[in-house]
Amino acid sequence: MVRPIAMLAGLGFVGILLYSLIMGAVSFISEPPAKTVEHEFHLHPKEVHFASDGPLGKFDRQQLQRGFQVYKEVCAACHSLHQVAFRDFKDLGFSEAEVKAIAKGWATETPSVNPETGEPATRKSTPADKIPSPYANEVAARAANNNALPPDLSLMAKARHDGGAYIYSLLTGYTDQKGFKNHAGQELLKEFPDAKTPDSLHFNPYFANLNIAMPPPLAADGQVTYADGTVATKDQMAKDVAAFLIWSAEPKLEARHQTGVAVIIFLLIATTLAWFSYRNIWAGIKH
């Protein structure tokens, strides 16, 4: 008696699911969802190549140093890098003395405690310290940025789809909303007249909701002066800092690539040896 009731209950449940599926499909076809401005005008990241791309990719140390310079002189005023310590900059090709000088001369000092009074204090950073935040806390960060909270950039290249390409596209994607068209040739303000960007925000089609609180950080060519003589165009600076943030998100990327190649070679050799062993063991046996 219990089994037939359970079967009927299961059939009833399946029937309800099928009914819901069919009705949902009919509703979607007859009344398709309204198009949104984000769906129609949000652009996919631009195509850009980095030396670290691909299974055999390696970091370009000179580019990483240039990207660090852009971060230090432009981005560090608002964005933290909590997961990176000063000593990690040795991986960029800096010497130990240079790392100590970078830490000591950092614009924001490291939070500390006065050993005599126990009161909060600050001190010069050392190579063992993490990169200090430019703000004392979230309240101070929001107060300085019109209530917007600048995100930490340590893992930004891993936290966003297309990583470095997204960062590069965002930095170079600021444009005038008036007259902006998507890939289909539709003009934004003609299709969505009420989608005008508020005065406190900035239009960027590579940002999720098209309007971002951060003003264009790379405002003009030559904003930084590269030590290696590279011409600091906006495009070059954006690509360099994107490469630096790819490194900050995955500093062991080269080691992972090398390990992957070694594992593949090992598996190929092991497979070959296993095949010859199989042939040798079963060589005298006829099928």
Side-chain angles (χ1 to χ4, degrees):
M1 185 63 183
V2 175
R3 182 173 294 177
I5 293 175
M7 291 179 64
L8 288 174
L11 288 173
F13 181 71
V14 171
I16 292 172
L17 288 178
L18 287 174
Y19 175 79
S20 300
L21 177 63
I22 293 171
M23 292 304 296
V26 170
S27 176
F28 181 83
I29 294 172
S30 60
E31 298 179 11
K35 295 180 180 179
T36 63
V37 62
E38 293 86 359
H39 180 268
E40 295 294 317
F41 289 89
H42 178 245
L43 302 183
H44 294 293
K46 304 173 184 178
E47 290 189 13
V48 58
H49 173 72
F50 295 97
S52 57
D53 290 346
L56 301 178
K58 294 184 177 180
F59 290 120
D60 179 343
R61 292 300 187 279
Q62 280 192 317
Q63 184 177 45
L64 294 184
Q65 290 188 19
R66 293 196 303 267
F68 166 67
Q69 185 177 349
V70 176
Y71 168 76
K72 179 183 177 183
E73 296 184 17
V74 180
C75 310
C78 297
H79 295 278
S80 56
L81 210 64
H82 287 315
Q83 303 302 319
V84 179
F86 287 104
R87 62 188 172 195
D88 295 332
F89 292 147
K90 289 182 181 179
D91 293 343
L92 305 186
F94 292 115
S95 66
E96 187 172 347
E98 288 175 322
V99 170
K100 288 182 178 179
I102 291 171
K104 187 176 181 180
W106 199 257
T108 307
E109 294 188 337
T110 296
S112 182
V113 175
N114 188 319
E116 297 179 359
T117 64
E119 294 294 325
T122 58
R123 58 172 174 77
K124 294 291 184 181
S125 300
T126 67
D129 292 319
K130 297 290 181 69
I131 309 299
S133 172
Y135 303 107
N137 49 50
E138 181 178 334
V139 175
R142 290 186 180 278
N145 292 278
N146 198 26
N147 204 38
L149 179 64
D152 179 76
L153 297 182
S154 305
L155 303 176
M156 187 58 67
K158 299 287 284 185
R160 296 292 184 270
H161 183 61
D162 289 318
Y166 165 80
I167 295 170
Y168 166 80
S169 301
L170 185 75
L171 293 175
T172 59
Y174 289 88
T175 187
D176 188 357
Q177 186 185 36
K178 186 178 181 181
F180 175 76
K181 296 180 180 180
N182 61 11
H183 294 312
Q186 297 173 306
E187 189 169 330
L188 177 76
L189 294 180
K190 286 185 178 179
E191 296 291 328
F192 298 91
D194 297 330
K196 186 176 180 181
T197 298
D199 293 337
S200 59
L201 301 179
H202 305 271
F203 179 71
N204 192 318
Y206 296 97
F207 192 63
N209 65 2
L210 308 182
N211 300 315
I212 185 171
M214 178 177 68
L218 303 177
D221 294 343
Q223 196 165 337
V224 302
T225 301
Y226 285 137
D228 63 1
T230 301
V231 179
T233 62
K234 288 192 289 185
D235 186 84
Q236 184 68 54
M237 290 186 289
K239 190 173 181 180
D240 290 343
V241 76
F244 170 72
L245 293 177
I246 292 173
W247 169 83
S248 74
E250 195 169 5
K252 303 301 181 184
L253 178 141
E254 290 177 329
R256 181 170 61 81
H257 285 179
Q258 292 170 0
T259 301
V261 171
V263 169
I264 290 173
I265 293 173
F266 169 79
L267 291 175
L268 289 174
I269 294 173
T271 301
T272 302
L273 292 176
W275 169 253
F276 282 114
S277 297
Y278 161 78
R279 294 296 299 270
N280 184 57
I281 294 172
W282 295 94
I285 299 177
K286 296 182 179 180
H287 294 286

